[in-house]
Amino acid sequence: MGIRVVIFAVSLLPLGLESRPISYSGGSTLMLFSDDIKNSLYYHYSPTHQYSVGIEAVEDKYQREKYAYLRFTYLLNRKNSQHSQRNLYFQTGLSPNRDANLFYGIHGDWETRRWFAGFNVKKIETKASMYVDQCYQIGLAPYLGEYGAIHSWLMVKTRKFSYEEGWSTYPVLKFFKGDTLVEFGYDKHNHWNAHLMYRF
Amino acid sequence: MIRIIVILLFSMTNVWADGKEQKNEMPHTGHSFDTLVDGEKLEVDPDRLGAFLQGLSDSQIAVISVQGMVCDFCARGIEKMFKLDPKVKKIDIDLSKGKVLVAYSDEDSIDFNDIKQKILSNGQNATHLKILRI
C-alpha cells in the first residue's frame, strides 16, 4: 500500500479513540479535530447515559471534499467501583452522501484517577475497500487534581490498519478543566493533531 | 471533673449511626469536620467541606457516596443534573473521596431514590447517603 492509500484511508476515519463517547442524560458534546489530513466537527447528543446520536462533518484536505457521518454509540456494559470505571461501547457510523461508507466496532476503556487503558477495534467498509482499524491506548495522570483544577494525562497510543504491516505508536497529551478538554498527539503519518472537546 | 466533661460532650452531640440513609446534626462551625463525635470518619475532605459550608445556614447537606466517579470531566454531568433541581442550593464534588455534596434548604425533603436517579443519569451509582443539618 502506498502512502496515498494510507492517507486516503486515514482521512476517512472518525477519531480513533474518543474520551467519553456518551454524555449524561440530556447532555451534548462538541468535538473539533484537526490534523494534516482533515478537519472534523462532531456533535453528539445523549438522550440517556446509555447511548448517543450525532453527526460528524468532515473536511477532507487530501481529497478536497466534504462529507458527513451519522453516528450512533451504545453503552453495552459499564462497571462502576469505588476507584474505577470500566466501559464497553458499540459504535457505528454511516455516511449518507458517500456510497457504502460505513464503520462499526467496539470501544472499551478502564479508568481510575491515576491510570487509563482503552481500545477501539473498528471495521470500515467503503465502496473501494474494507479494512480493520485497531487502536490501543494507555495513560497516566502525573498528579491527581481536585474537582475544578486543570487535569493532565500522559498517554501512549498505538494503532494498526489491517492493510499495513506495522503499528504506529505515538504520544498523546491530554488536558481538561471544567467542561473543556484538549488533546494533542503526534504520529508519523499525520504529524501533529489537535482535538478539542466541549461538553454542555 | 472528667465526669462533667463526659456529660457535657454527650449533651452537646448526637451519635452517628451506620446505614444507607442517615440524618445527623453537624458539629457547630469552627470544629473539624472529618471525624464524627463517635470516632466514625465522615470521609469527606475537611477543607473542602468547610469551604462548601461557607455562607450556608438553615440547610441540609446530602453527602452522597458515588461509585465510578473517577474523573473531573465525567463528574461535570452530576453537577449539571443537580443544578436543574430548584431545591438544590449548592453542589460540590470531592473526587478524592468519591463524594458529592449537595445543600438543600432545611424545609425540603431529600429523596435518596431521586438522588440515585440523578447520579445514574450521569452513568455512576450512588451507594450511600448521609444527611447533615447545619
Side-chain angles (χ1 to χ4, degrees), chain A:
Chain A
M1 290 285 177
I3 188 67
R4 284 171 59 91
V5 176
V6 172
I7 290 171
F8 175 66
V10 171
S11 74
L12 294 174
L13 293 174
L15 298 174
L17 193 54
E18 288 148 4
S19 302
R20 308 293 167 192
I22 301 176
S23 183
Y24 61 96
S25 298
S28 300
T29 305
L30 188 66
M31 300 184 198
L32 289 163
F33 178 82
S34 182
D35 64 9
D36 286 353
I37 307 302
K38 72 169 186 179
N39 294 322
S40 162
L41 175 64
Y42 175 32
Y43 167 84
H44 71 68
Y45 171 74
S46 300
T48 77
H49 73 283
Q50 291 181 303
Y51 73 97
S52 69
V53 291
I55 184 165
E56 181 181 21
V58 178
E59 179 190 12
D60 186 332
K61 295 177 182 177
Y62 185 76
Q63 295 289 319
R64 293 187 177 180
E65 62 176 338
K66 296 176 182 177
Y67 53 92
Y69 275 107
L70 298 176
R71 296 182 57 169
F72 174 75
T73 304
Y74 184 77
L75 177 65
L76 295 170
N77 182 264
R78 170 169 286 164
K79 173 68 176 174
N80 289 320
S81 72
Q82 183 65 38
H83 301 293
S84 69
Q85 186 181 73
R86 184 203 68 206
N87 300 295
L88 191 64
Y89 302 95
F90 169 75
Q91 292 183 301
T92 187
L94 173 68
S95 183
N97 55 345
R98 292 170 70 90
D99 292 337
N101 194 349
L102 168 74
F103 74 86
Y104 50 91
I106 298 292
H107 166 116
D109 58 52
W110 172 85
E111 185 177 1
T112 69
R113 294 194 67 211
R114 177 73 72 184
W115 296 98
F116 174 89
F119 73 93
N120 194 8
V121 179
K122 193 183 320 182
K123 190 168 188 178
I124 298 97
E125 297 180 8
T126 72
K127 192 175 183 179
S129 63
M130 185 166 62
Y131 52 93
V132 175
D133 170 20
Q134 297 180 67
C135 181
Y136 302 89
Q137 186 170 341
I138 56 171
L140 166 71
Y143 62 91
L144 300 181
E146 290 300 328
Y147 189 68
I150 295 176
H151 298 257
S152 307
W153 283 89
L154 309 174
M155 300 183 138
V156 176
K157 187 183 287 189
T158 186
R159 192 170 193 177
K160 183 182 187 305
F161 298 102
S162 58
Y163 51 77
E164 281 190 316
E165 286 293 322
W167 290 78
S168 173
T169 303
Y170 53 97
V172 174
L173 295 175
K174 182 189 288 188
F175 307 96
F176 54 90
K177 177 176 172 55
D179 292 312
T180 306
L181 181 151
V182 292
E183 185 177 298
F184 303 98
Y186 182 87
D187 78 275
K188 60 185 178 183
H189 292 310
N190 296 336
H191 303 115
W192 286 102
N193 63 68
H195 181 196
L196 172 67
M197 184 187 301
Y198 184 77
R199 183 163 282 179
F200 51 94

Side-chain angles (χ1 to χ4, degrees), chain B residues 64 82 104 110-119 129:
Chain B
I64 308 156
F82 277 95
Y104 295 89
I110 297 177
D111 181 354
F112 191 31
N113 287 327
D114 178 60
I115 287 173
K116 282 181 177 175
Q117 190 56 47
K118 283 185 170 70
I119 302 287
L129 170 66

Side-chain angles (χ1 to χ4, degrees), chain B residues 85-100:
Chain B
D85 185 345
K87 291 194 301 183
V88 171
K89 297 167 73 174
K90 198 174 182 182
I91 178 169
D92 192 23
I93 309 282
D94 185 347
L95 284 176
S96 61
K97 303 292 186 183
K99 307 289 184 192
V100 175

Side-chain angles (χ1 to χ4, degrees), chain B residues 71-83:
Chain B
C71 89
D72 186 305
F73 196 67
C74 51
R76 291 281 148 185
I78 292 177
E79 182 178 337
K80 288 183 169 70
M81 292 303 294
F82 277 95
K83 281 186 170 175

